[in-house]
């Protein structure tokens, strides 16, 4: 147990981040614009709210802001749990910023990929208990963010009171639909989350699961109907950043908060040591294979056929948005 604790300290206590990250960090002020951090030392709970309109897509700067925010919260010994949420009520994260992938700058592309690897190392390997509050869509790397957390709660969707249209969020690794493959470590994370056969099917087909199906395969742990709650807790209200202060009666955030509180009450050494049991080898593998992974990614993405698919995909995204 002692040696396990020592190793837990090595991996989760000291930040691997500082010694490993081959990328520049943003100043906290900039990072705070992209990811808003709020903390409540009394409850031991923090909230990281992604705030990169329009879709919280993951640019290099966004990845760096996520890592910086985790690092800052981890440095506060009073905090044990963190909720990962979004200022956009319809999109948790649209995954990688696809504009990073099309006609990429050859110097930036590997740094961009390193920044995503760092999110894996820092979020999946965090000493904090992490709860994803998935209000809206979470495709591809958006799904990865959720899977890298310890617990996932997802909104069942809602009905627009004006148009009466139903909004149903979806989650999954849809890369094949873009003509690309999920990186091996992201695909393996899906295998560990939903099991081999479900992952094999979902990866090949690029399945985006609506909430009920996501729950059925184990991609999320809980789904929450949208009906507004009758009352909110003061502690949650205090934790919400001003951009989403009006969400105190949102049952999804309330559910995420209650789960964060459950985690915060578990003795941290025991919680962190048990988190290591399932995650340590995968974090170390990423660290060991980081350069190889970056080379594969850059080689794959810059292929002519892949660039053609990605360009067409970005064009279709823009056209879709313009038609609204
Ligand atoms: C040994 C073997 C080695 C093998 C090596 C293999 C290595 C693998 C290499 C490849 C790995 C690549 C990994 C990729 C992972 C990813 O994350 S790729 C990104 C995938 N994301 C998506 O497909 C999501 C695309 N977006 C949507 O589907 C929708 O936007 C939405 C469902 C999220 C939301 O829909 P809606 O609410 O209707 O909004 P929209 O009008 O569509 O979008 C609003 C706005 O946001 C912009 N946007 C959306 N998504 C992105 C994005 N991902 N990146 C950048 N921008 C995005 C969209 O263009 C609109 O913008 P404007 O209003 O036009 O400004």
């Amino acid at each position: 147990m002692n040696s396990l604790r020592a190793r837990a300290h090595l991996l989760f206590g000291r930040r691997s981040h500082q010694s490993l990250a081959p990328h520049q960090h943003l100043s906290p002020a900039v990072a705070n614009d992209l990811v808003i951090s709020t903390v409540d030392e009394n409850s031991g709970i923090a909230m990281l709210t992604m705030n990169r309109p329009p879709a919280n897509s993951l640019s290099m700067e966004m990845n760096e802001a996520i890592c910086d925010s985790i690092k800052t919260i981890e440095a506060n010994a009073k905090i044990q749990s963190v909720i990962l949420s979004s200022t956009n009520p319809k999109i948790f994260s649209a995954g990688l910023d696809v504009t990073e992938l099309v006609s990429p700058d050859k110097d930036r592309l590997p740094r961009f990929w390193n920044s995503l690897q760092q999110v894996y190392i820092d979020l999946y390997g965090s000493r904090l208990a992490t709860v994803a509050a998935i209000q809206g869509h979470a495709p591809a790397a958006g799904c990865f963010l959720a899977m890298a957390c310890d617990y996932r709660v997802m909104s069942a969707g809602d009905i627009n009171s004006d148009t009466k249209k139903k909004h149903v969020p979806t989650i999954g690794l849809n890369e094949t639909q873009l003509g690309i493959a999920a990186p091996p470590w992201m695909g393996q994370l899906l295998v560990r989350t939903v099991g081999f056969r479900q992952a094999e099917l979902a990866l090949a087909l690029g399945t985006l699961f609506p909430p009920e199906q996501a729950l059925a395969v184990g991609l999320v742990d809980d789904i929450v109907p949208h009906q507004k709650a009758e009352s909110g807790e003061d502690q949650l209200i205090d934790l919400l950043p001003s951009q989403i202060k009006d969400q105190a009666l949102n049952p999804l955030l309330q559910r995420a908060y209650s789960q964060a509180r459950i985690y915060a009450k578990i003795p941290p050494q025991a919680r962190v040591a048990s988190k290591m049991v399932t995650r340590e080898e995968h974090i170390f593998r990423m660290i060991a294979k980081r350069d190889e992974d970056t080379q594969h990614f850059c080689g794959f993405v810059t292929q002519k056929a892949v660039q053609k698919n990605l360009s067409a995909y970005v064009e279709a995204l823009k056209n879709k948005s313009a038609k609204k």
Side-chain angles (χ1 to χ4, degrees), residues 18-126:
Q18 285 134 323
S19 55
L20 290 163
H23 61 257
Q24 300 284 309
H25 286 292
L26 295 176
S27 71
V30 177
N32 282 347
D33 285 344
L34 295 173
V35 179
I36 307 155
S37 309
T38 46
V39 296
D40 174 12
E41 292 186 346
N42 292 327
S43 64
I45 299 174
M47 186 174 273
L48 289 185
T49 309
M50 293 181 282
N51 181 41
R52 182 169 189 255
N56 281 332
S57 65
L58 302 176
S59 62
M60 184 165 80
E61 289 74 16
M62 182 65 171
N63 291 335
E64 290 172 345
I66 292 171
C67 291
D68 283 346
S69 308
I70 295 169
K71 193 175 65 168
T72 304
I73 291 178
E74 283 187 340
N76 185 340
K78 291 188 176 149
I79 303 299
Q80 297 308 329
S81 300
V82 64
I83 298 164
L84 182 63
S85 67
S86 160
T87 47
N88 186 329
K90 302 269 187 267
I91 305 175
F92 177 68
S93 163
L96 295 190
D97 184 333
V98 283
T99 62
E100 293 271 11
L101 307 178
V102 178
S103 308
D105 177 275
K106 74 172 180 13
D107 295 326
R108 182 175 166 104
L109 191 64
R111 292 197 295 129
F112 164 68
W113 196 247
N114 284 342
S115 72
L116 184 72
Q117 293 168 329
Q118 196 65 47
V119 173
Y120 179 79
I121 292 167
D122 288 351
L123 184 59
Y124 193 55
S126 177

Side-chain angles (χ1 to χ4, degrees), residues 52-58 88 90-101 112-113 116 137-144 167 170 173-175 177-178 180-184 186 208 292-293 295-298 300-301 306 310 313-314 316-322 324:
R52 182 169 189 255
N56 281 332
S57 65
L58 302 176
N88 186 329
K90 302 269 187 267
I91 305 175
F92 177 68
S93 163
L96 295 190
D97 184 333
V98 283
T99 62
E100 293 271 11
L101 307 178
F112 164 68
W113 196 247
L116 184 72
H137 298 291
C143 173
F144 148 69
H167 172 258
T170 58
L173 296 184
N174 64 326
E175 279 87 344
Q177 305 230 8
L178 286 69
I180 53 179
M186 212 182 270
L208 286 170
E292 197 183 316
D293 182 61
Q295 279 167 20
H296 279 145
F297 164 74
C298 293
F300 183 86
V301 158
V306 173
L310 284 169
Y313 188 74
V314 170
L317 255 186
K318 283 188 186 149
N319 289 340
K320 174 194 147 197
S321 167
K324 278 185 183 169

Side-chain angles (χ1 to χ4, degrees), residues 6 25 41 64 68 75 88 93 106 122 162 180 192 202 204 211 215 217 222 230 233 239 274 276 305 307:
H25 286 292
E41 292 186 346
E64 290 172 345
D68 283 346
N88 186 329
S93 163
K106 74 172 180 13
D122 288 351
D162 299 328
I180 53 179
R192 297 200 290 283
L215 183 66
V217 297
D222 203 357
E230 306 228 312
E233 272 188 68
L239 198 58
S274 48
M276 279 189 64
Q307 280 297 309

Side-chain angles (χ1 to χ4, degrees), residues 171-174 176-177 201-210 213 219:
I171 182 168
L173 296 184
N174 64 326
T176 54
Q177 305 230 8
L201 280 169
L203 283 170
L205 301 174
T207 309
L208 286 170
F209 296 92
Q213 284 178 29
L219 185 50

